[in-house]
Each structure stands twice: as structure tokens, then as C-alpha cells.
Amino acid sequence: MNKVDGSILSRLYRNHIQDYGSPGPFWEQELESLHHVIEMKNERIHELEKQLFLLEMLKEKNLILALKNTTLRQEVEDLQFQAGNRLTMSRQLRKDLLQDLEKESQNGHCCSRRRSH
């Protein structure tokens, strides 16, 4: 791209010299200097465009990661809620089982007393 820009400027400069004649050594030097500055600025613009493109790509990746992070956080919360529910159910089942065992133990103990009498 820089070469294309440079060749266009060179061609315009040559056409200008053909149409109007040489501007003289001082102005030729100034034009060359300006031409060089323009080339440097174009290169810098292209570098900045590349950096901007990379930053936009990073921004998109960050947005995707933020969305995944939000999704995973929600999944963790859901799993924690399920684990809490299961723990509550487990405690209740344990309590019920212990009560059932205690009742059976008392019933069995009573039955064994009756048999011995």
C-alpha cells in the first residue's frame, strides 16, 4: 500500500514537473522531504490500523469470555443450590431413618418383653 501511495505521489510529482517545470533545488528538496514525511505518516497509520484491529479482536474475545464467565457463575450457583437441596434432603432422610429405627427398636423391645412374660 505504501509503495502504491509512493508511486502515485512520484507520478504526480513527475507530471507536475513536466507541466510546470522544475521548481528549483530548494523546493525539490522540500518536496522530497514532505514526500518522506507522508510515507512515514502512512506507515504509522497502517501500524495503528493493525493495532486497532488486534484490539477489536481482543475486545470480542473478552466479550465472549465475559459471557462464558457469567454462564459458568450461574451454573455454579445452580449447582450450589442443588447441593444445598440434596444436603437438606439427606439430613431429612437421615432424621426419618433414625426415627424409624428408634420406633422399630422400641417395638421390638416391647415385643421381646411381651414374649418373656
Side-chain angles (χ1 to χ4, degrees):
M1 187 71 179
N2 288 339
K3 290 181 181 181
V4 172
D5 291 341
S7 65
I8 291 172
L9 289 172
S10 295
R11 189 178 36 190
L12 290 173
Y13 178 66
R14 282 193 306 271
N15 289 342
H16 181 77
I17 289 174
Q18 287 175 353
D19 293 342
Y20 300 103
S22 179
F26 172 77
W27 291 111
E28 281 184 24
Q29 179 79 23
E30 287 296 310
L31 285 175
E32 286 180 30
S33 176
L34 288 174
H35 180 74
H36 182 68
V37 169
I38 290 171
E39 286 179 9
M40 287 177 15
K41 296 291 183 182
N42 279 337
E43 287 175 10
R44 181 70 179 140
I45 288 170
H46 292 298
E47 289 173 10
L48 291 172
E49 286 174 343
K50 287 178 186 178
Q51 288 178 359
L52 180 62
F53 177 75
L54 292 174
L55 288 173
E56 287 174 355
M57 296 290 289
L58 285 174
K59 180 183 172 185
E60 287 181 33
K61 287 180 182 180
N62 282 342
L63 290 174
I64 291 169
L65 289 174
L67 182 61
K68 286 181 180 180
N69 186 23
T70 302
T71 303
L72 289 174
R73 284 180 188 263
Q74 184 62 44
E75 287 178 16
V76 166
E77 287 178 15
D78 292 345
L79 290 171
Q80 287 173 337
F81 181 75
Q82 290 175 8
N85 284 345
R86 288 188 176 133
L87 182 61
T88 302
M89 283 178 49
S90 174
R91 286 179 180 157
Q92 185 62 44
L93 288 172
R94 182 174 176 247
K95 182 179 174 185
D96 293 346
L97 181 60
L98 288 173
Q99 287 174 350
D100 289 347
L101 287 173
E102 195 174 294
K103 286 179 186 177
E104 283 183 26
S105 172
Q106 287 174 356
N107 287 341
H109 189 61
C110 290
C111 293
S112 64
R113 284 185 193 168
R114 287 183 194 162
R115 290 182 192 155
S116 60
H117 288 292

